[in-house]
Amino acid sequence: MMRYPNLRYGNPQELAYHAQFIALPDLAKRLRRSERTVHDWISGKTKMPWWVPEIIRLQKMEHAERLRQMNMQPRLARLGLVTGDVIQFTPPNKKPHTAEPAAKDPFHKTA
C-alpha cells in the first residue's frame, strides 16, 4: 500500500533510512526545521515536502565523495563492524595452535 502516492510529499521511511545515525537535533539543524516538525515527519504524523529525504541523501553522497577525494575511509568503528585486516586466519597447511594442558594446581585437592 502506497501511503504517499503524490510526488509532492516525501516518504517517511526513506527519511528514516537516510537519517539512521543522525541525532534528531542534528537532523533538525541540517534541515533548518524544529525538532518537533522533523519528528512528526519521521513518524508519519504530518506529510513532509519531497525535498526532505533528498537533501539528506545528497548530503550523505557529498560527504562520501569528499572522503573519497581525500583518500579517507569512512569510519566503521562506530557501528562495530569488523574489517578483514582485524581477523587473522590460520593458513590451511598449518595445524591450529592447541593449548597445552595446564599444570596441576597444588592447592586444588582431588577426591
Side-chain angles (χ1 to χ4, degrees):
M1 178 176 134
M2 189 176 233
R3 187 168 179 188
Y4 295 98
N6 192 336
L7 296 179
R8 290 187 296 177
Y9 302 112
N11 188 347
Q13 287 84 19
E14 187 179 353
L15 175 63
Y17 173 77
H18 290 300
Q20 273 179 341
F21 299 107
I22 304 172
L24 186 63
D26 295 336
L27 185 60
K29 189 175 180 179
R30 282 186 184 185
L31 295 171
R32 298 181 183 171
R33 298 294 184 263
S34 69
E35 290 180 33
R36 182 180 177 126
T37 301
V38 174
H39 179 269
D40 289 347
W41 285 345
I42 292 175
S43 64
K45 288 182 182 178
T46 59
K47 294 180 180 181
M48 77 178 90
W50 64 269
W51 55 265
V52 174
E54 289 295 314
I55 290 290
I56 299 301
R57 184 181 66 83
L58 289 173
Q59 285 177 351
K60 286 177 71 174
M61 286 176 55
E62 286 178 359
H63 178 70
E65 179 64 17
R66 208 172 304 127
L67 288 178
R68 188 194 66 77
Q69 288 175 357
M70 292 188 292
N71 255 353
M72 296 176 67
Q73 296 292 324
R75 290 187 351 169
L76 299 176
R78 188 169 89 182
L79 301 176
L81 298 178
V82 178
T83 59
D85 50 337
V86 175
I87 302 171
Q88 294 179 357
F89 295 104
T90 58
N93 57 358
K94 290 188 177 182
K95 294 181 180 176
H97 179 69
T98 57
E100 295 180 16
K104 291 189 176 182
D105 187 5
F107 301 106
H108 181 71
K109 294 182 180 178
T110 56

